[in-house]
Amino acid sequence: MIGLQPFLSFLSMYLTCCSARSSPSSKMARLSATASIMIAMIFLVMCAPSSSFAQTLYADSITTLDGTNVRTQVNFGQVVVHPVTGYVYVADQAQHVIRSISPLGDMDILVGSPGSGSKVEGTGTDARLFQPRGMALNSVGNIIYWSDFGSCTIRFVFLSNATTNSLYAGTCTGFTPYRPQGMTINPTYTSLYVTLGSNTLNTFALPSFVRTVKSTGSESSFFGATWLLYGGNPHLLLSTGSGCQIRLYNIADESITTLAGRNGIQGTTDGTGTNALFNRPYDIAVDPLSGDYFVADTNNYEVRRVTSTGVVTTVAGTGLNTPPSTSLINAVPALTTTFPTLYTLAFAPGGYLVVVDSDIKVLYTTAPRVPASFSVTGVTETSISLAWDEGIYIHAVTDNYTLTYASMTGQSFSIAPFTLDHTTTYTLTGLYPGFNYSNIVLYLTNKVGTVSISLGQTVRTLGNTPTPEAPVILSGTVTDFTISVTWNVPVSLALPITSYTLYVGMGASSTVTPPGGFSQGVDVNGNAIAFLVLPTSTTSYTVTGLTPMTPYRFFVAASNIMAMGALSSEYAFATIGRIKLHAGKATLGAIDGVGTNAAFTSNSGMMVVDSLASPSAYVVDAGNNRIRKVAADATVSFFVGSGAVGSANGAGTSATLDTPTGIVINSANTFLYFIQPMCVRRVEIATAIVSLHAGLCTASGSGGGALLTARFTSLTDITINPATGDMYVIDAGIKAIRLITTSAVSTLASSSANVAPYVDGAVGVATFLALRSIQFHAYYGLVFNDGPALREFDLTNNIILTVSGKQGTTGYLDGPGTNSSFSGILASTNYRASSPTPLVLVADSPSGLVRVIAPSTTPSTTPYISSTIAGMYQRPSVVFDVTRSYYTNAASFIWTGFGGYLTPTTALTSDNNGFIYVMNSALFVMYGTAPTPPIVSQISASGSRITIGWTPSCPTGAITSYTLSVNADVGGPYSSVTSQLITSSSMAWVTLPGNTNLNIKMWASNEYGNSSVTSFLASTAAPGVPYAPVLTLTVSSIAPVSFAVTWTAP
């Protein structure tokens, strides 16, 4: 046969690459995309003729390298395919070369040089060929034989070194019929058969090269030839061209018989034997699967099938030589396809038929074959590379491919059908790192059907399994006991979110009591935290059961089925409490009195609260040069200071003060210590005697040493370690933090630099800029402000760090560490210092806010958390009604009083029960808990009347009412209960039957509930004894010798 396996490959190569070269050693370029498709899709299974489909592999769309149209260059020789390597070798008789094409589509010249033909032996492109035509392959010895039509020579080349030689050199006399044409070889590679156009067969015994010439009759010339077993005997199947016959040549007895067709009779009739007619059958090939023979019936423009018994049927073609309406056809019925110029056909290994005319077409009747293998060739974090073995050129039977796979989430994916250009590889991209992918299946489809092959293994991409991005907390809404948090849905997720985890903490190193439904855990820094797992449908949650006026830190994270994603940024929210005016009013002054009858100045200094059962606040009324005492029942009195400017010692109001600011109290509640610019003074609480404690009030300096010889320049605040009595002061004039022990003064840290920004670090390295307030904290050392930032002095390690806010940036943002901002810190104090969650309060003065800070034992890794618990940024005009309380976030501490006078927050402190005192032009009390019980101080009975007196154990501003419950033994032991609600007095009278035993209970109440109960017993006097008359007398009708007196009857 004219070997159309190599022929087709040659055509694709030829159409793309054949051209003259300037250098014999130059390489052919890689196949173009179209030629690659052509080569890649060469072979299809040929089965039942009634269901054949035709498909174009090549149409006239490729030109040679010199730009010449291919169709003017058509002059094909034979093609062979190496069954082991898959290389295609093409006899290009137009360019006088033999070309090689790799399975990947790379094309080179094996031997010969494009140009004019000649015969020169040599190696590679040094050799010269003259119209190579027929070819045969010894795949064992890797030798290609070819008929050099132009030189009438049988030649061969070793594939190992591309060296040519001549097997037989004939004499080129006469015309073409005497020249060698087709060529075939027997399966044992011992005999080479060459047809000549003059009815002659040349047989060469290999490897001896002994030539035998046999004439096979004079009916016609031979064109195609192929070796086969017929009836168990070796035969050559010959096509006779103009003889219009298919003939069998018995190699053993040299007999020749006609299998089908009639000599010289042209026609297109199907039938058996001589009843069938052909019209110039040009080429013939044997189907290795069915054993049938396929004939290129050139002038009938049809492909014909011939069985071993001579039955002829037409399997493709219309019998017309008109070109199709389009040069490209795709899987149309073969019998409706035209073959305008039918040349050759061939079967490649595997039984795939190729038909060549002016275009190249394939015929197939089955679904694609299942690839021999399917495997993974490479894995990255985001891709899996796959490869499969379809054999040689199986693409010809495959219209498209589809890949399906499943991820570890159970999701199934499908790659849209795709085609391949001479490759059998595909890379799945856009995958996720650390994922398992399974059920990877490859589907091959054509118009007949679909086949598939499964990878049969799970493949894991490299890297770590991706987790959801961190959600963003969008907002928080607070009440006394709840905080509602809303967050977004993270985007760009590798896996669907399966849950959210909400974390709630009360500050670093805290032991959190989990809210309802939450579990106890720890965060990445080992701090106690509560958490709750929520469904994916939830992007907001209300945490209940919280403590009023308490800061909480919130995180949220999304999870997929593999792992939890990153935590959101930390957000801080504080529950709110209540605020009530305790003492003072909008009108400024220096007036003692109870509640709103008292008045303070606008530039009040700090204040402190003692820890007695009925606590009193001591307020530095700097504008009045006094220290004022505010009792729990809101009674305001001058404690020390006459109001005159001076530094004279003395008792109570006989002493003089000069611009006092900071104040502290010792743990025994026996002494107050307050500062003036250049000295520290002491007040004995029992006697109100003022004395000098350290420094000299009239002399400035920076020296340390003994208490009274040390000097200060400009003191702004003072704090005390209640356990040791050591005091720490801010000496702003020298930018220093100084220590005052019971006997001496020393400087702990100072900064001479006055250049921003300040520097954190060890003592001696750290610098200060604008020191103002300071607070000792048993857990965290010293917490002080430096301008709008809060800093920590670690007394153990002598390190100074910024822990909240940032220098040079003012504002009122809550949050962790330097994400927060302050407008200007004027005062700070401990809050719940003895609780497991100690906090720091800050008076953010210009903004009128009270901020609560949750400190950290490791501020370098876990930031302080700032939250606002009182005040409003908008600063509304609010006139406080002294009879009622307000939510802390519903009023501003830049308080607008009756006269519209604005005063910033100047001082704040808290007592041991968690009540907060805030000072501006008046004293407010903030609370988020029920009141403490009243302290009964008087019980007296007179007849049937009981008089009860008490003092509050918390600020009266935090109490809305008292309840007095009397249980008498009238009619039985304590069977009669009488209750009364008392709103404003600290004294009550109860009238009951005489001579009665009483069980009296009393408690205080506010919006958060009742205090614990104070109980006591009493008895009324014997009945019938009247009470003394009320001593309120009214005198009237006064005359020179008389007047009238009236009184109230008891």
Side-chain angles (χ1 to χ4, degrees), residues 272-601:
T272 302
T274 56
N275 291 325
L277 299 179
F278 299 91
N279 189 355
R280 197 173 180 83
Y282 186 79
D283 196 19
I284 191 166
V286 179
D287 182 354
L289 299 179
S290 67
D292 292 339
Y293 322 130
F294 288 80
V295 177
D297 197 359
T298 300
N299 285 0
N300 277 332
Y301 317 111
E302 294 174 335
V303 178
R304 315 286 291 281
R305 179 200 292 263
V306 182
T307 68
S308 60
T309 59
V311 178
V312 178
T313 54
T314 300
V315 296
T318 62
L320 303 175
N321 67 344
T322 55
S325 58
T326 175
S327 60
L328 297 174
I329 60 173
N330 183 17
V332 300
L335 290 173
T336 66
T337 305
T338 59
F339 299 92
T341 310
L342 186 58
Y343 291 110
T344 57
L345 47 72
F347 280 94
Y352 302 107
L353 180 65
V354 177
V355 179
V356 179
D357 66 340
S358 57
D359 299 327
I360 301 175
K361 301 179 178 68
V362 293
L363 306 180
Y364 63 90
T365 60
T366 64
R369 289 190 175 186
V370 177
S373 63
F374 187 30
S375 60
V376 177
T377 59
V379 178
T380 70
E381 289 188 347
T382 58
S383 67
I384 298 174
S385 296
L386 305 166
W388 53 95
D389 179 11
E390 298 183 13
I392 302 173
Y393 305 128
I394 198 172
H395 285 309
V397 301
T398 305
D399 290 346
N400 59 64
Y401 301 82
T402 300
L403 275 165
T404 61
Y405 61 95
S407 73
M408 60 200 303
T409 64
Q411 293 176 293
S412 296
F413 301 89
S414 179
I415 303 298
F418 57 90
T419 58
L420 293 172
D421 181 8
H422 198 69
T423 63
T424 52
T425 62
Y426 191 87
T427 298
L428 297 173
T429 59
L431 307 181
Y432 297 106
F435 260 43
N436 290 331
Y437 291 91
S438 59
N439 298 327
I440 302 176
V441 180
L442 173 70
Y443 296 87
L444 299 82
T445 301
N446 62 19
K447 290 298 185 294
V448 177
T450 299
V451 298
S452 65
I453 182 171
S454 174
L455 186 65
Q457 70 181 86
T458 296
V459 183
R460 186 179 181 88
T461 50
L462 302 180
N464 298 321
T465 303
T467 55
E469 295 178 358
V472 176
I473 294 179
L474 302 176
S475 63
T477 303
V478 300
T479 68
D480 310 49
F481 302 102
T482 68
I483 298 178
S484 300
V485 180
T486 301
W487 58 90
N488 74 332
V489 177
V491 297
S492 302
L493 297 177
L495 288 171
I497 294 174
T498 56
S499 65
Y500 294 101
T501 303
L502 180 63
Y503 292 91
V504 181
M506 285 181 61
S509 69
S510 63
T511 302
V512 177
T513 300
F518 281 69
S519 300
Q520 180 73 57
V522 294
D523 64 15
V524 293
N525 296 307
N527 300 315
I529 199 164
F531 65 92
L532 176 66
V533 178
L534 298 168
T536 56
S537 59
T538 301
T539 55
S540 64
Y541 189 79
T542 299
V543 183
T544 60
L546 302 180
T547 302
M549 292 192 353
T550 300
Y552 293 89
R553 55 195 184 105
F554 285 82
F555 309 89
V556 65
S559 298
N560 57 31
I561 64 168
M562 294 301 298
M564 179 183 293
L567 290 172
S568 68
S569 297
E570 183 173 331
Y571 276 72
F573 302 102
T575 49
I576 60 175
R578 298 287 180 138
I579 179 174
K580 190 172 182 181
L581 183 60
H582 182 50
K585 53 190 172 184
T587 303
L588 305 180
I591 304 171
D592 285 344
V594 178
T596 55
N597 292 321
F600 301 86
T601 60

